[in-house]
């Protein structure tokens, strides 16, 4: 007999647990790859210099290396007033790291941008758009430390709990004893 978990959520909303994020349904209790172990044992302190509202900020990734901050601003200003737009660049070379952060004045603009820009093409590159995680999810670990979201199937290091790869609803199986207990309560 199957029953549903009423507290199930497709995406991580308040905390980031590397073991759960590495699990297709968020129910694993043991790490299954070395990167998850690295994430568990790494220390990461979110950047205190980052300002703004993390609940009004989106993360834009897989950008074309030639995409400029002006292009990002133009593409995302369609959804509302932008408070801050930052294309992340390498501090040594000055080249784009192919991701950016866009902060809106309202959560309505965030929701619209998430819906309408997800897997859209900007300058020939299919982008992904997610809510900012670093300041929003307690315990966040970036990809370089074995955490993050996404990943490639070939590496065996897929991460779940985001719109790109949401958790799948776990199948919860009732045991024979659970059935008998349920039956006793009814009679």
């Amino acid at each position: 007999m199957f029953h549903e978990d009423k507290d199930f959520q497709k995406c991580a909303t308040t905390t980031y647990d590397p073991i759960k994020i590495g699990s297709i349904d968020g129910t694993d209790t043991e790490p299954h790859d070395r990167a998850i172990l690295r994430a568990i044992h790494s220390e990461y302190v979110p950047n205190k210099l980052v300002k703004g509202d993390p609940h009004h900020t989106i993360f834009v990734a897989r950008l074309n290396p030639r995409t400029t901050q002006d292009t990002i601003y133009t593409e995302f200003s369609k959804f509302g007033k932008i408070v801050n737009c930052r294309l992340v660049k390498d501090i040594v070379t000055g080249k784009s790291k192919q991701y950016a952060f866009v902060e809106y004045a309202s959560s309505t603009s965030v929701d619209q941008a998430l819906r309408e820009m997800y897997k859209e093409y900007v300058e020939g590159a299919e982008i992904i758009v997610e809510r900012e995680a670093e300041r929003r999810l307690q315990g966040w670990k970036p990809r370089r430390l074995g955490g993050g979201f996404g990943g490639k199937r070939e590496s065996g290091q897929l991460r779940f709990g985001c719109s790109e790869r949401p958790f799948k609803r776990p199948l919860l199986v009732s045991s024979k004893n659970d059935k008998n207990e349920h039956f006793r309560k009814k009679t």
Side-chain angles (χ1 to χ4, degrees):
M1 174 179 205
F2 297 103
H3 63 280
E4 288 189 18
D5 180 359
K6 300 205 184 324
D7 297 327
F8 174 76
Q9 292 183 325
K10 285 184 171 187
C11 297
T13 55
T14 57
T15 58
Y16 184 90
D17 178 347
I19 293 175
K20 288 186 192 296
I21 297 298
S23 167
I24 194 166
D25 60 5
T27 60
D28 284 8
T29 57
E30 298 288 325
H32 70 273
D33 65 51
R34 288 191 315 226
I36 291 174
L37 285 171
R38 192 169 64 245
I40 291 168
H41 297 295
S42 66
E43 300 242 351
Y44 180 72
V45 179
N47 185 343
K48 302 282 186 214
L49 301 175
V50 176
K51 302 292 181 209
D53 185 344
H55 298 284
H56 288 186
T57 305
I58 59 172
F59 170 74
V60 183
R62 298 187 186 159
L63 292 165
N64 183 315
R66 293 176 299 283
T67 299
T68 65
Q69 189 163 301
D70 289 340
T71 302
I72 296 164
Y73 188 91
T74 301
E75 290 290 330
F76 285 88
S77 64
K78 301 171 193 171
F79 309 107
K81 182 178 186 239
I82 292 178
V83 175
N84 188 22
C85 177
R86 182 172 66 98
L87 174 65
V88 178
K89 296 181 178 183
D90 185 278
I91 58 172
V92 175
T93 65
K95 291 182 179 181
S96 169
K97 287 196 167 189
Q98 297 173 262
Y99 65 95
F101 295 92
V102 178
E103 181 188 359
Y104 285 100
S106 75
S107 58
T108 306
S109 298
V110 169
D111 293 339
Q112 188 177 1
L114 288 168
R115 266 191 323 273
E116 296 191 29
M117 290 301 286
Y118 182 72
K119 290 202 170 190
E120 283 296 316
Y121 285 83
V122 174
E123 295 187 335
E126 184 182 51
I127 63 170
I128 60 167
V129 182
E130 293 282 351
R131 295 181 187 280
E132 182 203 333
E134 179 181 37
R135 297 176 296 152
R136 197 177 53 81
L137 296 177
Q138 182 181 9
W140 171 253
K141 303 288 174 82
R143 190 73 185 162
R144 64 187 161 81
L145 297 178
F149 289 121
K152 296 194 179 190
R153 189 178 321 270
E154 305 83 56
S155 71
Q157 295 181 355
L158 293 175
R159 301 294 180 262
F160 301 88
C162 60
S163 57
E164 170 77 2
R165 198 172 281 113
F167 291 124
K168 305 290 184 202
R169 184 176 293 280
L171 289 176
L172 302 174
V173 181
S174 297
S175 70
K176 196 173 188 179
N177 291 338
D178 290 344
K179 246 194 242 182
N180 292 339
E181 184 66 33
H182 178 70
F183 178 75
R184 273 187 237 135
K185 286 180 184 175
K186 283 189 166 186
T187 58

